[in-house]
Amino acid sequence: MSNQHRYGIIVIDMLNDFIGEKAPLRCPGGEEIVPNLQKLFKWVRERNAGGKDDVQLIHIQEAHRKNDADFRVRPVHAIKGSWGSDFIKELYPEGEEYTIPKRRHSSFWHTDLDLYLREESLDTVVVTGVWTNVCVRSTAADALALAYRVITLSDGVHSKDQAQHEHGLVDLSIFTKVMTIDEFTSAIDAGIDAWAGAGDQENKVGEK
């Protein structure tokens, strides 16, 4: 049976102010996933170049105002128009890939992400990027609230350290499908619904 679903890969905050030794709000785990995301980007772009638009990259760009409320609880970072708010060169958007600025943790909060997904008939949100337990989790939660099917790519997200990353994945496993990039791409290539089996319908997450 062919897969009729359409997937929006949300790439969250792979920016200069988060990734790299000079980043003021450095997320070391984010540096580890760059090669994985490059591999994913290559797969999507080759698929798009072949005329298939059922999987799309959507680049999320934190872009704060100077006196943003976020800075009451976090260091100043990713000011709109600054070098720090720009995408890292290794994962820079190409062609007609859509970019969306945000000012809060969730990629949906006061952005046009929901509108874009609906315009493109993308019914499944695939979260990647940083941080697993903050912006990725918040984006995934809002996607679920808006009735999207949600997938988390476990080797395409990361956090400041392994503990925070793993805690985030536990939360995400309750209401998303957690899978690797290879598992995801293989399912799509095989015409299988990658989201099948999502969530925790038997309430087993956290059991010893």
Side-chain angles (χ1 to χ4, degrees):
M1 187 172 69
S2 63
N3 175 33
Q4 300 299 318
H5 294 285
R6 293 168 57 78
Y7 303 81
I9 297 178
I10 315 299
V11 187
I12 302 169
D13 293 342
M14 297 301 288
L15 312 176
N16 291 319
D17 268 2
F18 292 103
I19 310 299
E21 293 182 4
K22 296 180 180 179
L25 198 55
R26 187 181 180 189
C27 179
E31 294 154 32
E32 296 179 25
I33 62 173
V34 169
N36 301 342
L37 291 178
Q38 287 179 309
K39 180 180 177 181
L40 177 65
F41 280 25
K42 183 175 185 288
W43 175 82
V44 175
R45 287 166 176 165
E46 288 177 352
R47 189 177 184 86
N48 293 163
K52 297 179 180 178
D53 67 352
D54 58 336
V55 183
Q56 297 184 28
L57 292 171
I58 303 164
H59 304 269
I60 306 298
Q61 178 180 32
E62 199 147 289
H64 291 292
R65 71 184 186 95
K66 185 177 180 181
N67 297 312
D68 205 294
D70 196 48
F71 304 151
R72 298 171 189 168
V73 293
R74 301 294 277 151
V76 174
H77 62 279
I79 299 293
K80 182 178 179 180
S82 69
W83 172 85
S85 182
D86 201 6
F87 302 99
I88 61 172
K89 63 181 185 300
E90 295 90 343
L91 297 171
Y92 216 81
E94 291 183 2
E96 297 180 356
E97 293 168 1
Y98 203 54
T99 63
I100 297 177
K102 72 175 175 71
R103 287 179 49 206
R104 294 294 183 264
H105 291 160
S106 172
S107 304
F108 286 96
W109 187 253
H110 286 267
T111 75
D112 73 344
L113 177 55
D114 180 53
L115 177 62
Y116 179 78
L117 292 168
R118 296 187 189 283
E119 285 177 337
E120 295 293 315
S121 299
L122 299 166
D123 65 346
T124 307
V125 165
V126 183
V127 289
T128 69
V130 294
W131 297 17
T132 312
N133 57 315
V134 187
C135 293
V136 173
R137 184 183 181 280
S138 296
T139 297
D142 278 355
L144 181 74
L146 290 165
Y148 289 100
R149 299 151 23 107
V150 191
I151 293 171
T152 303
L153 298 183
S154 57
D155 55 349
V157 297
H158 219 303
S159 201
K160 186 174 183 178
D161 54 44
Q162 190 66 22
Q164 291 186 47
H165 171 61
E166 290 177 2
H167 284 308
L169 285 181
V170 169
D171 288 349
L172 287 158
S173 69
I174 294 172
F175 62 94
T176 81
K177 172 71 174 289
V178 178
M179 62 196 311
T180 67
I181 290 171
D182 283 347
E183 288 170 342
F184 173 74
T185 58
S186 295
I188 301 299
D189 285 340
I192 297 169
D193 180 7
W195 179 80
D200 181 26
Q201 292 194 345
E202 297 182 1
N203 195 29
K204 289 187 176 181
V205 171
E207 290 183 359
K208 300 296 183 182

